[in-house]
């Protein structure tokens, strides 16, 4: 194609603006052919009570469009939510890569990021136990670079040949389409127990990482080993990381399940509202870099996608920051139509022979051909590069460009329209010339054989609470399996990881405990794997301030002011919407009620009560308090709130803070408690 028409300026925003349709205020209603219409709500009939006529081209156009308004959902990662933003590198990465967007700290590269769950269908809930997709499209001046990442650093399988199998196993079972968005069923655990290479990934899946509190509080990992190549042609191995500025935080399982009903859009709402409020989602880009000579320096294979490079051994170097600062205008046009491809790279980034990566290179284009209906999906506004693109391709479904002239092939002497190739020195992409010498075989290297050491490393790195969550998750998921031999096989498999883990699950499932001597002998831990060691901030956390008529004005208002000054979001909650009258007759307006919201929506509670609270109010406030307590969340109380707290007699009181007319001190403690996020040392009865 020879794309001479400039779609607009070079920025992605300007480009999208070109395609954005204006609001229809004051416009004449027409058909898609431009015919002005006199009526749009009555179909054409033979008489007022007669049959509808096939002649009604307007009705048929409107209905045909509607009938075709869905496209196939993604076979995995169907449920997603996305936002626009920008990326800036902190310092030039010239020594390692020639990728232009990683050279100049002043350059802002537009990005589009789509977060997703993997298993559930497009209408499923946001908070199942699942891996999350974290796919970033960098619109660089040298073309699009897609970092199609997940929030776990490893994957289920080592070779993409098994991808259809693992996906078929974890998706709803085909005979009855159950369960939705869940691995808690026979086919998944049958598959796991027969594919020991999944052990490490399954540990992550059973951990708190699989139920993120927010897309803004989630790490991202490129998973595979890629290559960086600099101007001199020097090569390094590289792994990509996203580190959320707010730290990595999770829900608890009971909360995640309740949120599925109370607010199935919990994660997308969080991102949408945060961006609208100016609480932009921020992530730092990190790279682990290895010299080529160190390819074989580890006790695992760096081409194996079921392995991490422990951060303590290969430090993550932080090289830039991404800020998501703009919501989409139209979910279908942008989030649904965006087409990522792990093969969209720029000069300076290249692939390795990781067999998982190699197979992904086929799958992504293939899937878009079906989903987006043909080979021209790069012309859809969200997928267009911001730089010009020229080749002599034409035609095909949904072609937008009107290519002119007689010639549609390159190197012609007729039309003078042959785009010329570009050498490497001038930005042309040349594949890394890796020397390959081997037989054509279907086999896997012996260096991929150890499936349990890093699963054990992960286990060793968990805190006491995190380990308990993993045990609980196994008991839930495998407990739902109907076929007893599968449960035994799963327990036996994880007996090769850790005996304590396997024994705890075995007891709950009523299967045999595997022998202790089979467990992995690894004793090392990697502190970077535990969420206990993540940044902890109260900023953007959401607190329900629960008040009734007669609440103590000075306590509550000072507390709210201090919380808001530290970036905490405050939601006034009562038994009805509208003004709630304080003891000094001033008012606060409630925007939330016990009917509209639930404790699981909030990170913490401040229950101030009110002298005029009735029995029903008291009962509901106590229910909120008990549930938040059971979810290990911070709870602040004052006035009647303190009485109610005493009434419910909580077994231990860490993270419960009492305000006795010292709102300054109280607020400071509450902010610290919100930053701590959860109080795992509580005894939950
Ligand atoms: Fe994907 N994956 N994947 N994947 N993947 C897709 O592409 C595939 C893998 C990831 O928000 C599909 O457009 C194979 C690893 C994300 O639009 C499909 C294999 C990682 C997204 C596909 C993998 C990912 C996808 C489905 C094993 C983390 C969502 C729809 C060889 C590094 C992108 C689509 C979005 C989507 C294939 C494994 C990340 C079918 C064959 C490992 C974030 O092409």
């Amino acid at each position: 194609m020879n794309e001479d028409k400039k779609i607009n300026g070079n920025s992605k925003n300007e480009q999208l603006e070109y395609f954005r349709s204006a609001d229809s205020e004051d416009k004449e209603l027409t058909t898609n052919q431009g015919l002005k219409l006199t009526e749009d709500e009555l179909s054409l009939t033979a008489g007022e009570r007669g049959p509808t006529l096939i002649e009604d081209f307007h009705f048929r156009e409107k209905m045909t469009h509607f009938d075709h308004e869905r496209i196939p959902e993604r076979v995995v990662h169907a449920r997603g939510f996305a936002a626009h933003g920008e990326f800036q590198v902190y310092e030039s990465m010239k020594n390692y890569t020639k990728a232009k967007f990683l050279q100049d700290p002043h350059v802002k590269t537009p990005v589009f990021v789509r977060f997703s769950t993997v298993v559930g269908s497009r209408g499923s809930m946001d908070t199942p136990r699942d891996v999350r997709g974290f796919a970033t499209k960098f619109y660089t001046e040298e073309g699009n670079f897609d970092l199609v990442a997940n929030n776990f650093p490893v994957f289920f399988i080592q070779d993409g040949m098994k991808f259809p199998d693992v996906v078929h196993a974890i998706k709803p079972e085909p005979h009855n389409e159950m369960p939705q968005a869940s691995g808690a069923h026979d086919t998944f655990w049958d598959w796991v127990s027969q594919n020991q290479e999944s052990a490490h990934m399954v540990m992550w899946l059973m951990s708190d990482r699989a139920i993120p509190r927010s897309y803004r509080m989630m790490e991202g990992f490129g998973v595979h080993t890629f290559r960086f190549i600099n101007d001199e042609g020097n090569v390094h191995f590289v792994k990509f990381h996203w580190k959320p500025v707010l730290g990595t935080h999770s829900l608890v399982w009971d909360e995640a399940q309740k949120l599925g009903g109370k607010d199935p859009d919990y994660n997308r709402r969080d991102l949408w509202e945060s961006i609208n409020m100016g609480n932009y989602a921020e992530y730092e880009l990190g790279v682990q870099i290895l010299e080529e000579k160190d390819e074989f320096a580890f006790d695992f294979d760096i081409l194996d996608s079921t392995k991490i490079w422990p951060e303590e051994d290969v430090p993550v170097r932080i090289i830039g920051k991404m800020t998501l600062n703009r919501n989409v205008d139209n979910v279908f046009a942008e989030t649904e139509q965006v087409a990522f491809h792990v093969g969209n790279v720029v000069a300076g980034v290249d692939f390795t022979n990781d067999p998982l990566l190699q197979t992904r290179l086929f799958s992504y284009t293939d899937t878009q051909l079906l989903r987006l209906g043909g080979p021209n999906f790069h012309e859809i506004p969200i997928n267009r590069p911001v730089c010009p693109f020229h080749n002599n391709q034409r035609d095909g479904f949904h072609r937008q460009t009107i290519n002119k002239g007689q010639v549609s092939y390159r190197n012609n002497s007729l039309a003078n329209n042959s785009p010329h190739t570009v050498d490497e020195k001038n930005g042309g992409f040349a594949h890394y010339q890796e020397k390959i010498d081997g037989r054509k075989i279907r086999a896997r290297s012996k260096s991929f054989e150890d499936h349990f050491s890093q699963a054990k490393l992960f286990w060793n790195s968990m805190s006491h609470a995190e380990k308990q969550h993993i045990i609980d998750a196994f008991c839930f998921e495998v407990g739902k399996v109907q076929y007893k031999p599968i449960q035994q096989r799963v327990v036996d498999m994880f007996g090769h990881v850790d005996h304590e883990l396997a024994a705890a699950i075995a007891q709950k499932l009523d299967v045999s405990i595997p022998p202790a001597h089979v467990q992995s002998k690894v004793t090392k831990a990697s502190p970077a794997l535990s969420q206990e060691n993540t940044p902890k901030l109260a900023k953007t956390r959401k607190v329900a301030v629960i008040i009734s008529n007669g609440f103590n004005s000075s306590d509550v208002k000072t507390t709210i002011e201090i919380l808001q000054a530290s970036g905490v979001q405050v939601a006034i909650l009562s038994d009805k919407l509208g003004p709630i009258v304080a003891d000094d007759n001033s008012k606060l307006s409630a925007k939330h009620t016990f009917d509209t919201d639930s404790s699981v929506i909030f990170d913490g509670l401040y229950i101030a009560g009110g002298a005029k609270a009735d029995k029903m109010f008291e009962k509901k406030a106590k229910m909120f308090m008990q549930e938040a307590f059971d979810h290990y969340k911070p709870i602040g109380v004052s006035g009647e709130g303190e009485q109610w707290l005493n009434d419910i007699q909580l077994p231990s009181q860490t993270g419960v803070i009492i305000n006795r007319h010292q709102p300054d001190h109280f607020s400071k403690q509450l902010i610290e408690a919100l930053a701590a996020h959860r109080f795992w040392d509580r005894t939950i009865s």
Side-chain angles (χ1 to χ4, degrees), residues 74 77 114 148-150 163 340 359-360 363-364 367-368:
R74 288 164 173 80
H77 297 267
R114 184 176 181 274
V148 197
N150 277 350
F163 189 66
F340 292 97
T359 47
R360 286 180 79 196
S363 180
Y364 287 73
T367 211
Q368 312 308 350

Side-chain angles (χ1 to χ4, degrees), residues 349-465:
V349 182
D350 210 323
F351 313 110
T352 60
N353 294 334
D354 171 348
L356 199 70
L357 174 59
Q358 291 287 321
T359 47
R360 286 180 79 196
L361 288 170
F362 164 75
S363 180
Y364 287 73
T365 312
D366 186 44
T367 211
Q368 312 308 350
L369 288 172
L370 176 70
R371 206 170 63 77
L372 298 169
N376 288 314
F377 53 85
H378 61 282
E379 291 195 332
I380 297 173
I382 197 67
N383 294 324
R384 277 179 176 268
V386 292
C387 58
F389 50 104
H390 311 278
N391 53 55
N392 285 4
Q393 295 163 12
R394 339 181 131 183
D395 305 350
F397 277 114
H398 315 305
R399 186 67 172 181
Q400 308 286 308
T401 316
I402 301 177
N403 303 98
K404 296 180 194 156
Q406 176 188 14
V407 173
S408 57
Y409 54 90
R410 216 174 67 79
N411 278 348
N412 66 80
S413 62
L414 291 171
N416 192 25
N417 72 346
S418 294
H420 58 84
T421 55
V422 181
D423 64 28
E424 269 189 86
K425 288 266 165 291
N426 291 304
F429 184 89
H431 289 266
Y432 173 66
Q433 294 191 5
E434 186 176 3
K435 187 165 181 302
I436 307 284
D437 183 14
R439 292 179 187 280
K440 242 190 249 175
I441 46 169
R442 292 187 190 272
R444 195 169 308 157
S445 163
K446 284 217 169 312
S447 53
F448 281 52
E449 269 178 6
D450 173 9
H451 304 318
F452 300 119
S453 297
Q454 284 209 351
K456 176 76 166 203
L457 174 80
F458 185 75
W459 174 255
N460 292 344
S461 312
M462 297 291 103
S463 66
H464 176 72

Side-chain angles (χ1 to χ4, degrees), residues 646-664:
N646 293 336
D647 290 350
I648 61 172
Q649 293 186 345
L650 299 172
S652 70
Q653 304 220 341
T654 53
V656 179
I657 303 146
I658 301 170
N659 179 8
R660 297 207 175 105
H661 307 305
Q662 287 183 304
D664 292 356

Side-chain angles (χ1 to χ4, degrees), residues 9 22 122 138 155 165 278 406 411 607 636 647 684:
R122 203 180 148 206
F138 295 82
F155 202 61
D165 298 312
Q406 176 188 14
N411 278 348
I607 302 176
D647 290 350
I684 305 296

